[in-house]
Amino acid sequence: MSPVVVLVGPMGVGKSTVGQLLAARLGVGYRDTDDDIVAEQGRTIAEIFVDEGEPAFRAIEKEAVQRALGEHDGVLALGGGAILDEDTRALLAGSRVVYLSMDVEEAVKRTGLNAARPLLAINPRKQWRELMEARRHLYEGIATAVVATDGRTPEEVAEVALDALELKEA
């Protein structure tokens, strides 16, 4: 069992919204590994970062992603940093992976780059740019398709993703 589509991309790009639209259009279930982590841990991702640090969170995330990839056959959205793990990237090989991209100005509009994002707490624009410089090649390296979300509605993004993957609606 493996997901029909896996969505990756930076925080705030719309993975959850687009993922739910794709799942509805394809007639399959939707799952988000960030939601899995929050439900399993009983606390927010920001709280895990603050309480235990990023390495501990990444270990929890790696397990959640591995579990979801093995259990879920619908649309799966991964947290923004899930692709940092080499084993996770290897597990995604052969899957239909859509990288949802956006530029920093779009990120500011969508997320406000606020303190609820633990990796962006200080100088959010600069940190977002640095995160993307470090991650962009990883997203692109595992992507079956890259879909720019800038200036598009979630419905338009879902449509472009379906077209790019040559998937038919249910």
Side-chain angles (χ1 to χ4, degrees):
M1 181 183 300
S2 64
V4 66
V5 177
V6 179
L7 298 176
V8 299
M11 59 192 88
V13 77
K15 295 181 298 283
S16 297
T17 302
V18 171
Q20 291 171 30
L21 287 168
L22 284 172
R25 288 183 180 192
L26 293 169
V28 297
Y30 169 76
R31 185 167 174 178
D32 184 318
T33 57
D34 281 352
D35 293 343
D36 291 353
I37 292 166
V38 170
E40 179 184 290
Q41 296 290 314
R43 55 196 167 143
T44 68
I45 289 169
E47 289 170 331
I48 298 168
F49 262 83
V50 169
D51 294 345
E52 298 183 39
E54 185 174 359
F57 171 76
R58 294 293 174 210
I60 293 166
E61 180 178 53
K62 179 179 178 174
E63 289 179 19
V65 170
Q66 287 176 341
R67 191 167 43 254
L69 286 170
E71 295 173 356
H72 187 67
D73 62 358
V75 175
L76 179 64
L78 304 186
I83 49 83
L84 294 171
D85 183 76
E86 186 176 340
D87 294 335
T88 296
R89 292 193 310 274
L91 283 174
L92 290 169
S95 295
R96 285 187 194 102
V97 178
V98 176
Y99 163 34
L100 299 180
S101 68
M102 69 178 168
D103 68 21
V104 70
E105 296 312 315
E106 189 76 10
V108 169
K109 279 191 263 183
R110 291 188 193 182
T111 67
L113 297 180
N114 60 36
R117 309 285 186 170
L119 291 178
L120 302 176
I122 301 166
N123 195 348
R125 281 177 192 258
K126 179 176 182 261
Q127 287 184 293
W128 193 88
R129 281 190 186 100
E130 289 173 0
L131 279 175
M132 285 310 301
E133 285 172 19
R135 295 177 180 181
R136 185 174 290 110
H137 72 285
L138 298 175
Y139 290 133
E140 291 171 348
I142 60 166
T144 308
V146 178
V147 177
T149 63
D150 306 78
R152 289 181 167 153
T153 67
E155 292 78 11
E156 291 168 332
V157 172
E159 189 64 35
V160 171
L162 287 172
D163 288 347
L165 296 173
E166 299 178 347
L167 290 172
K168 303 283 185 230
E169 293 187 40

